[in-house]
Amino acid sequence: MRFISDLTLIDGENSFLLKKRIALLKAIDEVGSLNLAAKMVPLSYKGAWDMIDTMNNLCPMAVVEKNTGGVGGGGTKLTEYGKNLVKTYDVIEREHQKFLESISLLTDFDSGNLKFFRRFNMQISARNQLVGIIEKIESTKINSTIQVRLKSNYLITSVITTGAVENLNLKENDEVVVLIKSNSVLLSLDENINISARNKLNGVIETIHLGEVNAEIIVNIGGDLIASIITKNAIEELNIKVGDKATAIIKSSDVMIGK
């Protein structure tokens, strides 16, 4: 058994975006005709127009516009706002389905108990949480090597157990979160340093937060920010300053993956 549910967005007391309304918008975008789109859903022509009027009234901008006359006899099309609305709904719907799949796995349907529900509210202490796309997974019997492309375009490598890959159902092209503790991030001012660590991310020091003993250094690697904790004495000895070029060095075994 498993949980299923349709996603509905509510505006105040009114249902705003429902699955059927999104289906109508997608059909309009595909065929450019409200009459044909209504038949695809299916809806009556009047029911389709009532649905469009409701969405247009609830939105700050028109979702659908009608063109009359012309060589092609007019038609109906989504506005740019409407197209973005559909894209946003699709993103939320995918995450909604992932949640339902996860909660189905955590539920013991025989006893009716929801196992480990606290995991859904778990806060992660890892300072660095970066979003990326899995480009490659190479698995052996024990360990798997995962390469994730970050939004900064850096490729970061993680080595985790193959069992973890299977439990998370990780696949290439999945969007994941890369998790790295700040005390696992080493810093070097030499961009050409030779070191065995798989991940060397070049960037510029953006911020330095000094404490009594340690300091947090934020390195901008071109869209992603990496936090590193080093001693205050090390900053003074290396004369590290904001604006310096720096390389964040991270062992692949210190890179965790979340989904």
Side-chain angles (χ1 to χ4, degrees):
M1 290 189 288
R2 61 191 178 91
F3 291 104
I4 61 171
S5 172
D6 289 336
L7 179 66
T8 300
L9 274 67
I10 305 295
D11 182 10
E13 297 298 322
N14 300 309
S15 295
F16 171 39
L17 286 183
L18 302 95
K19 192 171 185 178
K20 203 161 192 176
R21 290 179 181 176
I22 291 295
L24 177 61
L25 295 180
K26 288 181 176 180
I28 291 172
D29 198 35
E30 180 182 343
V31 299
S33 163
L34 183 61
N35 188 36
L36 292 176
K39 292 177 180 178
M40 292 168 64
V41 172
L43 285 167
S44 68
Y45 184 75
K46 182 181 183 304
W49 260 124
D50 288 345
M51 198 173 281
I52 295 302
D53 287 341
T54 298
M55 285 188 284
N56 281 342
N57 288 337
L58 289 173
C59 287
M61 291 181 281
V63 177
V64 174
E65 60 184 17
K66 185 175 183 180
N67 298 324
T68 58
V71 177
T76 308
K77 68 175 185 178
L78 300 190
T79 62
E80 284 302 312
Y81 178 85
K83 291 179 179 179
N84 287 332
L85 202 61
V86 171
K87 290 178 182 177
T88 301
Y89 182 93
D90 282 345
V91 170
I92 298 172
E93 172 65 14
R94 285 196 296 272
E95 295 305 314
H96 176 62
Q97 292 305 320
K98 286 181 183 179
F99 171 78
L100 292 176
E101 290 171 7
S102 298
I103 202 171
S104 293
L105 292 173
L106 292 175
T107 300
D108 184 347
F109 289 100
D110 292 331
S111 65
N113 292 327
L114 181 62
K115 301 177 290 184
F116 315 124
F117 187 76
R118 289 182 60 195
R119 291 181 182 179
F120 287 103
N121 297 316
M122 186 181 296
Q123 301 295 313
I124 303 298
S125 63
R127 179 67 173 82
N128 297 296
Q129 302 181 33
L130 311 171
V131 175
I133 303 294
I134 295 178
E135 283 201 356
K136 191 174 182 180
I137 300 177
E138 294 180 334
S139 296
T140 64
K141 187 175 181 180
I142 302 299
N143 291 325
S144 292
T145 300
I146 300 173
Q147 293 186 326
V148 179
R149 181 72 65 180
L150 304 177
K151 67 180 180 181
S152 56
N153 206 37
Y154 270 107
L155 200 61
I156 192 163
T157 300
S158 170
V159 174
I160 61 176
T161 66
T162 298
V165 171
E166 294 170 353
N167 290 337
L168 291 171
N169 191 27
L170 296 178
K171 302 181 297 294
E172 292 180 1
N173 297 317
D174 277 354
E175 182 177 85
V176 294
V177 179
V178 171
L179 305 166
I180 310 163
K181 293 181 179 179
S182 54
N183 57 10
S184 297
V185 180
L186 305 178
L187 283 185
S188 172
L189 300 184
D190 180 4
E191 293 183 341
N192 300 312
I193 187 173
N194 289 318
I195 192 169
S196 61
R198 297 280 291 274
N199 301 297
K200 292 185 285 186
L201 312 174
N202 296 328
V204 176
I205 294 176
E206 188 168 285
T207 311
I208 299 176
H209 301 291
L210 294 175
E212 292 297 323
V213 178
N214 295 325
E216 180 186 66
I217 297 180
I218 307 297
V219 180
N220 190 328
I221 61 171
D224 287 307
L225 300 178
I226 303 289
S228 173
I229 296 292
I230 65 175
T231 65
K232 186 177 178 182
N233 287 339
I235 289 181
E236 295 170 352
E237 290 173 4
L238 296 171
N239 191 28
I240 297 175
K241 305 181 298 299
V242 171
D244 284 349
K245 292 182 178 180
T247 299
I249 302 166
I250 308 154
K251 293 191 292 185
S252 55
S253 57
D254 288 331
V255 179
M256 297 171 284
I257 301 292
K259 182 181 179 184

